[in-house]
Amino acid sequence: MPRNHVPRIVVTGVGAVTPIGNSKDEFWQGMMEGRSGGAPITRFDAAQFETRFAAEVKNYDPLLVISRKEVQRMDLFAQFAMSAAVMAVEDSGIDFEKTDRERVGVVFGSGIGGMWTYHHQQQNLYERGGVPDRISPFFVPMLISDIAAGHIAIRYGLKGPNYATVSACATSSHSIGDAFMLLQRGNAEVILAGGSEAVICPMGIGGFNAMKALSTRNDSPSTASRPFDKERDGFVMGEGGGMLVLETLEHAMNRGATIYAEICGIGLTDDAFHITQPAPGGEGAVRSMRLALEDAGLQPTDIDYINAHGTSTPFNDKSESAAIRTVFGDHANTLSVSSTKSMTGHLLGAAGAVEAIATVLAIKNSIAPPTINYSTPDPDCDLDYVQNGPKHRPIRAALSNTFGFGGHNATLCFKAFQE
């Protein structure tokens, strides 16, 4: 389809449940303050674990938007999903009574799904003698990753495209990318897109500890997530959810919607190299960013800010920095690059959506969020990482990177909205 006939797609609403704030405004304020979500684990007794801290969502009350009966039948990841969705819908101002619900979809993913549900049901099975009738009839509906999208559709009566994406840490960036393509194709006029995760549980922490992926800075949880810093020793597990309301520009304009930013390009690739390590030099990330720029019709010099994947792991931060150098050349020296994971921890399947929200808010407010806990420069990471405090600057266009186990790479390109 000729580019001038492809619908423009805009962001009209956002909702976030994060370790540093349970609303769009709280999340933004937390980033502006450089607040860390890292703290000792409270969800279970982690005394015997190598890592005893995480970035948990705090002061969260699902009953603000979900009935008590529904809460009992929804895993925590689905509760985060519903809360983020309700906030995003309210933020968008969309009235579904005046909208063709067959033209509204939900694409919402989770990297792992209902891990807490599996934990509790497995305990029921073995602690009660292995009798299978102790398994809840809600076990499977609470466990499966796609159920969050189903719950959201049921709540609002949305009958358009509806499914989940699953691609590890790239999950919700793929959700947003799929929504973007569906809207461009004319399969819908509005899509709620995002992701959620809730795996701060014994098997979640234990599993990532076994991989040696998590920081073990137990004496200082609030400074453990330190992307691009030479002393980084692994990522900090986070949890939460993020939702964006995407619409065709025509639909948004017709209803007088407030527009945060325009999503103008996506890049999706795979490393085909290793199940957990990035390809040397960030080769797959290079192609992902270049494809996003090409799709957006932008030049590298048009980009002012990159919300980096920036996990605080030795391999990722080095390879992503090298990839940015390769794509942007000399312009890399004028870019602002930050990892909001330094504050939120790594939200796994929710990371892409929450970081996309950070990116569109950065464009809207002309402020690049900081990378906190940066103290010791790494010669392999030599960009402007917006160290330890936000930077006020015009942001005409920005990229949001997410890379997942399995070699999955996703880059989203957003730009300031102009009619």
Side-chain angles (χ1 to χ4, degrees):
M1 183 183 295
R3 179 172 291 277
N4 61 343
H5 291 146
V6 176
R8 295 170 65 186
I9 311 303
V10 294
V11 180
T12 59
V14 297
V17 178
T18 80
I20 60 171
N22 296 335
S23 70
K24 170 196 68 177
D25 293 337
E26 287 182 8
F27 174 49
W28 180 253
Q29 186 62 33
M31 289 192 293
M32 294 301 96
E33 294 174 0
R35 189 186 311 149
S36 171
I41 291 171
T42 65
R43 295 205 180 279
F44 68 95
D45 183 358
Q48 302 303 313
F49 286 72
E50 191 174 3
T51 295
R52 298 184 290 279
F53 63 93
E56 297 177 336
V57 169
K58 303 159 187 70
N59 304 312
Y60 172 67
D61 184 2
L63 296 176
L64 293 174
V65 298
I66 312 169
S67 73
R68 191 173 301 277
K69 182 178 180 180
E70 288 176 312
V71 166
Q72 294 172 346
R73 298 177 178 180
M74 296 170 69
D75 187 89
L76 185 58
F77 92 93
Q79 295 173 32
F80 289 156
M82 185 63 78
S83 295
V86 170
M87 284 188 280
V89 169
E90 291 178 353
D91 188 46
S92 75
I94 193 166
D95 183 354
F96 289 127
E97 295 297 327
K98 299 178 180 178
T99 306
D100 181 356
R101 300 185 204 217
E102 293 185 5
R103 301 281 291 155
V104 183
V106 183
V107 184
F108 195 93
S110 178
I112 300 178
M115 190 171 251
W116 267 116
T117 292
Y118 196 97
H119 172 81
H120 291 311
Q121 292 303 310
Q122 187 178 54
Q123 280 190 318
N124 288 346
L125 177 65
Y126 290 109
E127 290 177 2
R128 300 181 185 182
V131 179
D133 64 5
R134 300 297 185 182
I135 299 173
S136 168
F138 294 103
F139 168 54
V140 171
M142 292 173 68
L143 171 74
I144 52 181
S145 296
D146 68 293
I147 206 67
H151 278 300
I152 294 164
I154 291 168
R155 179 174 185 125
Y156 292 110
L158 308 179
K159 298 183 177 182
N162 187 287
Y163 58 92
T165 56
V166 180
S167 50
C169 310
T171 290
S172 51
S173 287
H174 278 121
S175 295
I176 295 165
D178 278 17
F180 176 63
M181 290 187 287
L182 288 167
L183 290 165
Q184 285 186 323
R185 283 177 53 88
N187 295 96
E189 293 177 309
V190 182
I191 295 184
L192 281 58
S196 64
E197 204 78 84
V199 297
I200 301 175
C201 61
M203 289 300 289
I205 298 297
F208 281 100
N209 265 160
M211 295 178 64
K212 305 298 182 184
L214 296 181
S215 170
T216 55
R217 201 181 291 261
N218 293 300
D219 58 340
S220 185
S222 64
T223 66
S225 185
R226 45 199 316 114
F228 308 109
D229 186 272
K230 187 177 181 180
E231 304 302 320
R232 63 193 183 277
D233 70 329
F235 76 82
V236 175
M237 184 74 81
E239 63 179 4
M243 178 70 89
L244 293 82
V245 178
L246 304 184
E247 298 183 54
T248 63
L249 176 58
E250 181 180 10
H251 190 276
M253 297 290 282
N254 285 343
R255 69 179 187 86
T258 298
I259 294 172
Y260 282 98
E262 180 174 353
I263 177 169
C264 52
I266 60 173
L268 311 174
T269 68
D270 194 84
D271 289 354
F273 172 72
H274 189 275
I275 59 171
T276 59
Q277 293 180 18
E283 182 272 337
V286 168
R287 288 184 291 110
S288 181
M289 287 187 279
R290 282 177 171 165
L291 286 171
L293 290 171
E294 180 183 348
D295 191 36
L298 297 178
Q299 298 299 314
T301 51
D302 294 322
I303 302 299
D304 295 314
Y305 171 63
I306 298 177
N307 188 292
H309 188 52
T311 56
S312 186
T313 57
F315 284 114
N316 173 86
D317 296 2
K318 176 181 176 179
S319 66
E320 186 173 12
S321 296
I324 291 170
R325 280 275 175 209
T326 299
V327 172
F328 290 92
D330 290 342
H331 183 60
N333 296 320
T334 65
L335 286 170
S336 294
V337 179
S338 67
S339 172
T340 47
K341 288 184 180 71
S342 61
M343 296 171 279
T344 65
H346 193 345
L347 276 63
L348 305 186
V354 169
E355 290 160 17
I357 292 169
T359 304
V360 299
L361 292 177
I363 292 171
K364 189 73 172 176
N365 292 295
S366 298
I367 303 175
T371 302
I372 67 168
N373 300 324
Y374 186 95
S375 60
T376 307
D378 182 340
D380 290 325
C381 302
D382 60 351
L383 302 171
D384 173 8
Y385 300 111
V386 195
Q387 297 97 317
N388 301 317
K391 176 180 289 187
H392 293 255
R393 62 164 297 168
I395 301 177
R396 300 164 298 164
L399 300 183
S400 179
N401 284 334
T402 49
F403 313 133
F405 288 171
H408 313 301
N409 305 302
T411 299
L412 306 176
C413 185
F414 299 93
K415 66 181 181 181
F417 173 67
Q418 293 181 331
E419 291 189 45

